[in-house]
Amino acid sequence: MTESLNGKGLALVPKTDGKQTLKDFKSDQEVRWCPGCGDYAILAAVQSFLPELGLRRENIVFVSGIGCSSRFPYYMNTYGFHSIHGRAPAIATGLATSRPDLSVWVITGDGDALSIGGNHLIHALRRNVNLNILLFNNRIYGLTKGQYSPTSEVGKITKSTPMGSLDKPFNPISLAIGAEAGFVARTIDSDRKHLQSVLREAAAHRGTSLVEIYQNCNIFNDGAFEAMKEPETRDEITIRLEHGQPIVFGTGDNAKAVRLAPYGGVEVVNRSEVAESEILVHDAHRPDPSLAFALSRLDEPAFQHVPIGIFRSVDRPAYDTLMSEQLEQATADKGKGQLADLLLGGDTWRIN
Amino acid sequence: MTKQVQQLDRVIIRFAGDSGDGMQLTGDRFTAETAKFGNDLSTLPNFPAEIRAPAGTLPGVSSFQLHFADHDILTPGDAPNVLVAMNPAALKANLGDLPRGADIIANTDEFTKRNLQKVGYAANPLEDDSLAEWRVHSLPLTSLTVKALEGFSISKKDAERAKNMFALGLLSWLYHRPTEATIKFLEAKFAKKPDIAKANVAAFQAGWNYGETTESFSVSYEIKPATLAPGVYRNISGNQALAYGLIAASVQSGLPLFLGTYPITPASDILHELSKHKRFGIRTFQAEDEIAGVGAALGAAFGGALGVTTTSGPGVALKAETVGLAVATELPLIVVDVQRAGPSTGMPTKTEQTDLLMAMFGRNGESPVPVVAPSTPSDCFDAAIEAARIALKYRTPVMLLSDGYLANGSEPWQVPEVSELPDISVEFTTEPNGEDGTTYLPFKRDTETLARPWAVPGTPGLEHRIGGIEKADGSGNISYDPDNHDRMVRLRQAKIDGIDVPPLEVDDPDGDARVLVLGWGSTYGPIAAAVRRVRREGGKVAQAHLRHLNPLPANTGDVLRAYDKVLLPEINLGQLALLLRARFLIDVISYNRVRGLPFKAEELAGVIQDVINSD
Ligand SMILES: Cc1ncc(C[n+]2csc(CCOP(=O)(O)OP(=O)(O)O)c2C)c(N)n1
Ligand code: SF4
Ligand SMILES: [Mg+2]
């Protein structure tokens, strides 16, 4: 069972008979994010993507924590659980482990996933339960009105850090790769096509997939990803990772390529200065995570180059599958449990 | 030499030694033999939190007390009749509990100058007359064992280690215990090391023969089997009974059991037990922490499983926010708290009843949670089923308050017939319940129980969202309406207040007692034993024991008001007393000791007598 499910994230989820459209996934609840919030674009992208999977709507569940982003499940006409701050991965783990027939999606924010819920996130990733985690990274605490977050850049001036934040942020992609994640990707709210292509792969992956989605909070951290959106700058900054393709970006005089660095890791060089054969070809399926990790560091130190796409997509048995197999094995070995036999097991004696 | 046999009606033995001496195993085996023989029994293991505290020191002493009798008994006994002391530390740590005239069996090999010094004995108490009040049997247990095992191909260290089996053999002879089961047990335990198995069996038999042949013991004792109600019995600890109760609840409800948990003393054995029974469809999930454990259990409950989390006090503190979420989302969930001494880490292996108020109120907002507390080790089985019944019927988290004394203590359990277990099956909602026939209202309540419908993912047409934000009555949509919130707060409270719990029963044989002793949880045994003593002396006292702490049985107030005085012993500073005073304005008399140990029957008998006398 383990082998055959690899790469088939939704193989156990029943398929719908009828045709679905975006409208089928819209709930009757009024969406209450600030006008212009990046969350709208992500919601629309998810709603228009899901029909493609052809799953029964009732077998899809969205589980979230707390934050602006975590309101997401209320707007989806599927099953949904808006839980408590940081704990969505834990709740989803119990659900997905006991119900392999469900397609379970976790919606979380940078504070939710990486501050209060950091422990659950890393353990979900290493455990590899069949979950899709969508991390809406706006590099700020939205719902609590704009404190810096664990992805805010050093020196961030916010209400809670009037003289600038002091602590180094997490790079969610590096963190996930370090936490033994099998599927790690990054995308951005403004590029629906890219976002949906990443969701497609994440859904197909059986095990935990982590998708970091850069999301603009136009109220408290407006323009955080502007350079990746502006036509003048976006191609110079954004590195689009595609499996099997040489890693190149930029145009004209600014054309760049990524190659292995002599000191280890990877480096960005002018395309004109490297031979075609020297350019690194992206291999998302490499079992060893070192290169994926090296690619995740390319945005250091100052968001100069930012890779998006699938950093890593490697199959390994999912936790829920392995647990089901242990239950099947135990039953095959000794037969289905019988309560009377259990209670009478051990040393008994009779009093007449 | 034929030896004299004396009849006894009951005996209390305490095995005490260093943590590494295998005293818990020795006690367990003696208990198994005693159960097999048909005595009634009750046990009290007492061990340090450290796995191996420094050898030979007082903090390193581990003990196991067993009370067995030819009649039904209620506690592991106040004071041992026999102390087996494997070293000076064991003697020193336990002597204070030993009544005059009790037997002491001491391992002289360990009473070396160094070991004596370690615990502050200036002289060897076995050699001066400081133990004159007791009957001391000094024997070189270690060297006798090593001698008996000469010729076995095992190391001297392994031979010395078998001394606990020598002691077990001797005690087994002394009290006419059946031995086959122990021999079988040793053979199975050391199946992979046949030499060690043989040596342990030989040490066990040598101990028996030592009793039979030497003159150190001129009398052996017989304690007839107890006349308990007819049926099939087995010996069971509270943690095992609780695990079995959860499995039974899964079978009887038809829901797969999902345990989300994180190891903690003294609750871990429930995880260990449940993880052995995967062929019952049980999923055990050892999470990264308690918050994830309860979160996963709640997630599984959302998916239609019987969600359970097990922990002790520090874990309950961590789970509080998620239990609140279960209150708000009205999902069934069982939270097992095996209470231990606090605050903070406290004394992890010692017992206490100090989490009652945390179970009742330890959450933000108005978040009522039913509380059920088992009264004996075997009652943990029924209490677990009862907790599941309430959780499932009323769609609510339930706190099940066990404690270290129940968890590790054991007693004979009359194994119930499966056909007699309650049916707690539930039906998921599969059809829309709105007026229009198409919408689903996840918070439209059952008019009688006030429980909300339970529709699980996978059910077509009933897709809905739940969460911790306040919900509109009926539809469950997010609502900040003040009046709706007030209504929901009251509805959630009314649902818990209306749970069908059986009435409080009173044991008042002559019906003319003026004093009532009330208890809850694990104090049942000591209170009942104390009540027996008082009555034997002609005292009039009634007894009642609360198994449901929230809601309280409907007749609780009437019962309490029917007596001039209500005495309430608790292993805390009066937590239930606080609740009863607030609720019924009754001036209950508290008796509180928080020593990490169960009450003694004699102690409570004195307290009861004092209250009667002061009448
Ligand atoms: C236990 C707890 N602590 C604190 C909060 C307050 N709180 C709510 S959301 C949030 C941060 C949200 O930030 P993020 O996860 O980045 O989500 P965003 O609003 O930016 O989408 C905080 C601190 C809470 N709800 N619960
Ligand atoms: S505060 Fe920011 S993240 Fe939250 S809804 Fe408004 S724009 Fe979106
Ligand atoms: Mg944020």
Side-chain angles (χ1 to χ4, degrees), chain A residues 32-34 37-39 68 138 142-143 215-220:
Chain A
R32 290 194 197 155
W33 288 308
C34 308
C37 174
D39 289 347
C68 293
N138 52 14
L143 192 68
Q215 173 244 325
N216 191 42
C217 168
N218 53 308
I219 302 296
F220 297 112

Side-chain angles (χ1 to χ4, degrees), chain A residues 27-29 32 56-61 63 66 71 73-85 87 90-95 97-102 116 119-121 123-124 126-127 129 319-320 323-324 326-327 330-331 334-352, chain B residues 29 32 35-36 38-39 181 226 228-235 244 247-248 251-252 258 277-289 291-292 295-296 298-300 302-303 305 321-322 325 329 331 381 412-413 415-416 418 421 455-469 477-478 480:
Chain A
S27 78
D28 59 358
Q29 297 299 295
R32 290 194 197 155
R56 288 201 186 174
R57 203 157 43 91
E58 64 268 24
N59 286 73
I60 301 174
V61 186
V63 183
I66 295 290
R71 296 292 175 97
Y74 288 114
Y75 310 134
M76 296 297 301
N77 193 11
T78 62
Y79 281 87
F81 199 155
H82 178 224
S83 73
I84 44 178
H85 202 19
R87 318 302 174 194
I91 290 168
T93 292
L95 180 63
T97 303
S98 55
R99 291 286 305 272
D101 61 322
L102 301 177
I116 193 165
N119 197 29
H120 306 310
L121 181 76
H123 287 276
R126 77 170 171 88
R127 218 173 258 132
V129 181
Y319 182 83
D320 49 300
M323 188 182 279
S324 294
Q326 283 195 342
L327 266 56
T331 311
K334 292 193 206 150
K336 201 170 166 317
Q338 298 297 329
L339 186 56
D341 297 345
L342 172 76
L343 302 186
L344 288 169
D347 287 340
T348 58
W349 68 97
R350 177 174 284 283
I351 291 177
N352 292 314
Chain B
R29 285 320 309 163
K36 194 97 196 152
N39 295 125
L228 302 174
V232 177
Y233 285 78
R234 67 182 287 179
N235 194 55
Y244 281 12
I247 298 174
V251 172
Q252 296 301 99
F258 183 97
H277 302 290
K278 301 195 193 311
R279 61 205 189 94
F280 283 85
I282 295 171
R283 287 177 158 82
T284 55
F285 171 62
Q286 181 177 319
E288 56 272 23
D289 59 23
I291 302 174
L298 186 63
F302 180 60
E321 192 189 9
T322 309
L325 179 64
T329 51
L331 285 169
F381 178 83
W413 174 48
V415 182
V418 171
L421 297 177
V456 300
T459 315
L462 306 191
E463 293 83 356
H464 65 282
R465 280 63 55 191
I466 58 172
I469 299 188
N477 290 332
I478 291 181
Y480 293 98

Side-chain angles (χ1 to χ4, degrees), chain B residues 179-202:
Chain B
T179 55
E180 313 80 50
T182 293
I183 293 171
K184 263 201 214 135
F185 168 86
L186 290 171
E187 285 167 353
K189 181 173 161 78
F190 298 111
K192 293 213 179 90
K193 299 176 186 162
D195 287 336
I196 304 274
K198 276 187 215 148
N200 272 281
V201 170

